[in-house]
mmCIF file of all heavy atoms in Angstrom:
data_model
loop_
_atom_site.group_PDB
_atom_site.id
_atom_site.type_symbol
_atom_site.label_atom_id
_atom_site.label_comp_id
_atom_site.label_asym_id
_atom_site.label_seq_id
_atom_site.Cartn_x
_atom_site.Cartn_y
_atom_site.Cartn_z
ATOM 1 N N SER A 803 -30.385 23.396 -35.280
ATOM 2 C CA SER A 803 -30.769 22.612 -34.099
ATOM 3 C C SER A 803 -30.095 23.187 -32.838
ATOM 4 O O SER A 803 -29.478 24.226 -32.860
ATOM 5 C CB SER A 803 -30.394 21.165 -34.311
ATOM 6 O OG SER A 803 -29.003 21.049 -34.514
ATOM 7 N N SER A 804 -30.264 22.449 -31.762
ATOM 8 C CA SER A 804 -29.686 22.859 -30.474
ATOM 9 C C SER A 804 -28.184 23.053 -30.589
ATOM 10 O O SER A 804 -27.508 22.338 -31.308
ATOM 11 C CB SER A 804 -29.981 21.773 -29.432
ATOM 12 O OG SER A 804 -29.152 21.923 -28.293
ATOM 13 N N PRO A 805 -27.623 24.032 -29.829
ATOM 14 C CA PRO A 805 -26.164 24.219 -29.862
ATOM 15 C C PRO A 805 -25.414 23.224 -28.967
ATOM 16 O O PRO A 805 -24.191 23.291 -28.854
ATOM 17 C CB PRO A 805 -25.996 25.656 -29.316
ATOM 18 C CG PRO A 805 -27.153 25.842 -28.416
ATOM 19 C CD PRO A 805 -28.295 25.066 -29.017
ATOM 20 N N PHE A 806 -26.124 22.340 -28.308
ATOM 21 C CA PHE A 806 -25.508 21.361 -27.410
ATOM 22 C C PHE A 806 -25.408 19.994 -28.071
ATOM 23 O O PHE A 806 -26.268 19.582 -28.837
ATOM 24 C CB PHE A 806 -26.305 21.235 -26.109
ATOM 25 C CG PHE A 806 -26.377 22.499 -25.325
ATOM 26 C CD1 PHE A 806 -27.476 23.331 -25.388
ATOM 27 C CD2 PHE A 806 -25.318 22.888 -24.501
ATOM 28 C CE1 PHE A 806 -27.557 24.492 -24.671
ATOM 29 C CE2 PHE A 806 -25.389 24.059 -23.755
ATOM 30 C CZ PHE A 806 -26.487 24.867 -23.848
ATOM 31 N N ARG A 807 -24.324 19.249 -27.751
ATOM 32 C CA ARG A 807 -24.147 17.905 -28.240
ATOM 33 C C ARG A 807 -23.507 17.037 -27.136
ATOM 34 O O ARG A 807 -22.920 17.552 -26.190
ATOM 35 C CB ARG A 807 -23.188 17.906 -29.456
ATOM 36 C CG ARG A 807 -23.779 18.517 -30.730
ATOM 37 C CD ARG A 807 -24.942 17.677 -31.259
ATOM 38 N NE ARG A 807 -25.414 18.171 -32.538
ATOM 39 C CZ ARG A 807 -26.318 19.149 -32.696
ATOM 40 N NH1 ARG A 807 -26.812 19.766 -31.637
ATOM 41 N NH2 ARG A 807 -26.746 19.485 -33.898
ATOM 42 N N TYR A 808 -23.657 15.709 -27.314
ATOM 43 C CA TYR A 808 -23.055 14.785 -26.361
ATOM 44 C C TYR A 808 -22.366 13.664 -27.108
ATOM 45 O O TYR A 808 -22.659 13.380 -28.284
ATOM 46 C CB TYR A 808 -24.119 14.221 -25.408
ATOM 47 C CG TYR A 808 -24.957 13.124 -26.008
ATOM 48 C CD1 TYR A 808 -24.582 11.770 -25.920
ATOM 49 C CD2 TYR A 808 -26.132 13.422 -26.696
ATOM 50 C CE1 TYR A 808 -25.356 10.773 -26.498
ATOM 51 C CE2 TYR A 808 -26.918 12.432 -27.269
ATOM 52 C CZ TYR A 808 -26.508 11.097 -27.161
ATOM 53 O OH TYR A 808 -27.261 10.097 -27.740
ATOM 54 N N ALA A 818 -25.651 4.696 -19.279
ATOM 55 C CA ALA A 818 -26.287 6.015 -19.334
ATOM 56 C C ALA A 818 -27.162 6.266 -20.565
ATOM 57 O O ALA A 818 -27.894 7.261 -20.624
ATOM 58 C CB ALA A 818 -25.225 7.113 -19.270
ATOM 59 N N GLN A 819 -27.104 5.373 -21.575
ATOM 60 C CA GLN A 819 -27.795 5.629 -22.835
ATOM 61 C C GLN A 819 -29.308 5.799 -22.651
ATOM 62 O O GLN A 819 -29.926 6.677 -23.251
ATOM 63 C CB GLN A 819 -27.523 4.532 -23.838
ATOM 64 C CG GLN A 819 -28.015 4.847 -25.258
ATOM 65 C CD GLN A 819 -27.219 5.958 -25.923
ATOM 66 O OE1 GLN A 819 -26.048 5.801 -26.210
ATOM 67 N NE2 GLN A 819 -27.867 7.091 -26.177
ATOM 68 N N ASN A 820 -29.929 4.978 -21.788
ATOM 69 C CA ASN A 820 -31.380 5.084 -21.603
ATOM 70 C C ASN A 820 -31.771 6.435 -21.021
ATOM 71 O O ASN A 820 -32.750 7.046 -21.452
ATOM 72 C CB ASN A 820 -31.879 3.971 -20.687
ATOM 73 C CG ASN A 820 -31.860 2.615 -21.370
ATOM 74 O OD1 ASN A 820 -31.802 2.547 -22.601
ATOM 75 N ND2 ASN A 820 -31.888 1.540 -20.588
ATOM 76 N N LYS A 821 -31.003 6.906 -20.061
ATOM 77 C CA LYS A 821 -31.273 8.207 -19.451
ATOM 78 C C LYS A 821 -31.086 9.324 -20.474
ATOM 79 O O LYS A 821 -31.903 10.238 -20.572
ATOM 80 C CB LYS A 821 -30.337 8.432 -18.247
ATOM 81 C CG LYS A 821 -30.441 9.814 -17.614
ATOM 82 C CD LYS A 821 -31.802 10.110 -17.053
ATOM 83 C CE LYS A 821 -31.857 11.480 -16.376
ATOM 84 N NZ LYS A 821 -33.221 11.805 -15.904
ATOM 85 N N ILE A 822 -30.022 9.242 -21.232
ATOM 86 C CA ILE A 822 -29.751 10.251 -22.270
ATOM 87 C C ILE A 822 -30.881 10.275 -23.319
ATOM 88 O O ILE A 822 -31.328 11.318 -23.732
ATOM 89 C CB ILE A 822 -28.377 10.013 -22.958
ATOM 90 C CG1 ILE A 822 -27.237 10.122 -21.946
ATOM 91 C CG2 ILE A 822 -28.175 10.955 -24.123
ATOM 92 C CD1 ILE A 822 -27.031 11.496 -21.351
ATOM 93 N N ASN A 823 -31.337 9.079 -23.701
ATOM 94 C CA ASN A 823 -32.431 9.013 -24.686
ATOM 95 C C ASN A 823 -33.698 9.694 -24.158
ATOM 96 O O ASN A 823 -34.436 10.335 -24.924
ATOM 97 C CB ASN A 823 -32.738 7.542 -25.017
ATOM 98 C CG ASN A 823 -31.649 6.893 -25.848
ATOM 99 O OD1 ASN A 823 -30.804 7.587 -26.427
ATOM 100 N ND2 ASN A 823 -31.655 5.570 -25.927
ATOM 101 N N SER A 824 -33.949 9.571 -22.862
ATOM 102 C CA SER A 824 -35.129 10.178 -22.278
ATOM 103 C C SER A 824 -35.065 11.706 -22.276
ATOM 104 O O SER A 824 -36.095 12.383 -22.170
ATOM 105 C CB SER A 824 -35.353 9.682 -20.845
ATOM 106 O OG SER A 824 -34.374 10.239 -19.959
ATOM 107 N N LEU A 825 -33.848 12.237 -22.405
ATOM 108 C CA LEU A 825 -33.680 13.709 -22.424
ATOM 109 C C LEU A 825 -33.803 14.295 -23.842
ATOM 110 O O LEU A 825 -33.800 15.508 -24.008
ATOM 111 C CB LEU A 825 -32.292 14.066 -21.848
ATOM 112 C CG LEU A 825 -32.076 13.697 -20.362
ATOM 113 C CD1 LEU A 825 -30.608 13.905 -19.998
ATOM 114 C CD2 LEU A 825 -32.960 14.502 -19.454
ATOM 115 N N ASN A 826 -33.860 13.404 -24.860
ATOM 116 C CA ASN A 826 -33.938 13.844 -26.224
ATOM 117 C C ASN A 826 -32.767 14.721 -26.654
ATOM 118 O O ASN A 826 -32.944 15.677 -27.412
ATOM 119 C CB ASN A 826 -35.260 14.585 -26.504
ATOM 120 C CG ASN A 826 -36.447 13.656 -26.382
ATOM 121 O OD1 ASN A 826 -36.417 12.525 -26.873
ATOM 122 N ND2 ASN A 826 -37.494 14.127 -25.709
ATOM 123 N N TRP A 827 -31.580 14.407 -26.155
ATOM 124 C CA TRP A 827 -30.403 15.143 -26.541
ATOM 125 C C TRP A 827 -29.926 14.703 -27.924
ATOM 126 O O TRP A 827 -30.281 13.611 -28.383
ATOM 127 C CB TRP A 827 -29.280 14.884 -25.520
ATOM 128 C CG TRP A 827 -29.420 15.625 -24.247
ATOM 129 C CD1 TRP A 827 -30.436 16.464 -23.873
ATOM 130 C CD2 TRP A 827 -28.494 15.584 -23.142
ATOM 131 N NE1 TRP A 827 -30.219 16.945 -22.606
ATOM 132 C CE2 TRP A 827 -29.045 16.429 -22.137
ATOM 133 C CE3 TRP A 827 -27.306 14.929 -22.891
ATOM 134 C CZ2 TRP A 827 -28.402 16.625 -20.908
ATOM 135 C CZ3 TRP A 827 -26.676 15.099 -21.690
ATOM 136 C CH2 TRP A 827 -27.218 15.966 -20.699
ATOM 137 N N GLU A 828 -29.085 15.556 -28.528
ATOM 138 C CA GLU A 828 -28.563 15.233 -29.862
ATOM 139 C C GLU A 828 -27.097 14.841 -29.766
ATOM 140 O O GLU A 828 -26.280 15.556 -29.192
ATOM 141 C CB GLU A 828 -28.730 16.451 -30.774
ATOM 142 C CG GLU A 828 -30.195 16.821 -31.031
ATOM 143 C CD GLU A 828 -30.334 18.003 -31.967
ATOM 144 O OE1 GLU A 828 -29.832 17.923 -33.077
ATOM 145 O OE2 GLU A 828 -30.915 19.023 -31.547
ATOM 146 N N GLU A 829 -26.787 13.690 -30.350
ATOM 147 C CA GLU A 829 -25.413 13.194 -30.329
ATOM 148 C C GLU A 829 -24.569 13.959 -31.336
ATOM 149 O O GLU A 829 -25.070 14.416 -32.366
ATOM 150 C CB GLU A 829 -25.413 11.705 -30.665
ATOM 151 C CG GLU A 829 -24.080 11.031 -30.479
ATOM 152 C CD GLU A 829 -24.144 9.524 -30.680
ATOM 153 O OE1 GLU A 829 -25.207 9.020 -31.125
ATOM 154 O OE2 GLU A 829 -23.160 8.837 -30.377
ATOM 155 N N TYR A 890 -27.369 22.212 -18.898
ATOM 156 C CA TYR A 890 -27.443 21.012 -19.770
ATOM 157 C C TYR A 890 -27.008 19.776 -18.954
ATOM 158 O O TYR A 890 -27.710 18.764 -18.934
ATOM 159 C CB TYR A 890 -26.515 21.251 -20.964
ATOM 160 C CG TYR A 890 -26.533 20.193 -22.063
ATOM 161 C CD1 TYR A 890 -27.691 19.885 -22.767
ATOM 162 C CD2 TYR A 890 -25.373 19.539 -22.406
ATOM 163 C CE1 TYR A 890 -27.676 18.951 -23.778
ATOM 164 C CE2 TYR A 890 -25.318 18.598 -23.437
ATOM 165 C CZ TYR A 890 -26.497 18.295 -24.119
ATOM 166 O OH TYR A 890 -26.468 17.378 -25.135
ATOM 167 N N GLU A 893 -29.566 18.708 -16.313
ATOM 168 C CA GLU A 893 -30.703 17.923 -16.798
ATOM 169 C C GLU A 893 -30.459 16.431 -16.572
ATOM 170 O O GLU A 893 -31.401 15.673 -16.290
ATOM 171 C CB GLU A 893 -30.918 18.169 -18.315
ATOM 172 C CG GLU A 893 -31.503 19.519 -18.665
ATOM 173 C CD GLU A 893 -31.690 19.632 -20.164
ATOM 174 O OE1 GLU A 893 -32.177 18.669 -20.785
ATOM 175 O OE2 GLU A 893 -31.326 20.682 -20.722
ATOM 176 N N TRP A 894 -29.219 16.037 -16.676
ATOM 177 C CA TRP A 894 -28.825 14.634 -16.523
ATOM 178 C C TRP A 894 -28.585 14.269 -15.062
ATOM 179 O O TRP A 894 -29.247 13.365 -14.514
ATOM 180 C CB TRP A 894 -27.597 14.357 -17.372
ATOM 181 C CG TRP A 894 -27.021 12.983 -17.272
ATOM 182 C CD1 TRP A 894 -27.603 11.875 -16.679
ATOM 183 C CD2 TRP A 894 -25.756 12.534 -17.770
ATOM 184 N NE1 TRP A 894 -26.764 10.791 -16.772
ATOM 185 C CE2 TRP A 894 -25.632 11.160 -17.458
ATOM 186 C CE3 TRP A 894 -24.718 13.148 -18.469
ATOM 187 C CZ2 TRP A 894 -24.510 10.403 -17.812
ATOM 188 C CZ3 TRP A 894 -23.606 12.405 -18.846
ATOM 189 C CH2 TRP A 894 -23.499 11.050 -18.497
#
Side-chain angles (χ1 to χ4, degrees):
S803 59
S804 164
F806 297 99
R807 290 293 186 275
Y808 77 90
Q819 190 68 66
N820 288 342
K821 174 62 178 176
I822 297 295
N823 289 344
S824 72
L825 297 171
N826 293 317
W827 283 2
E828 296 181 58
E829 189 174 9
Y890 185 61
E893 287 181 44
W894 176 12

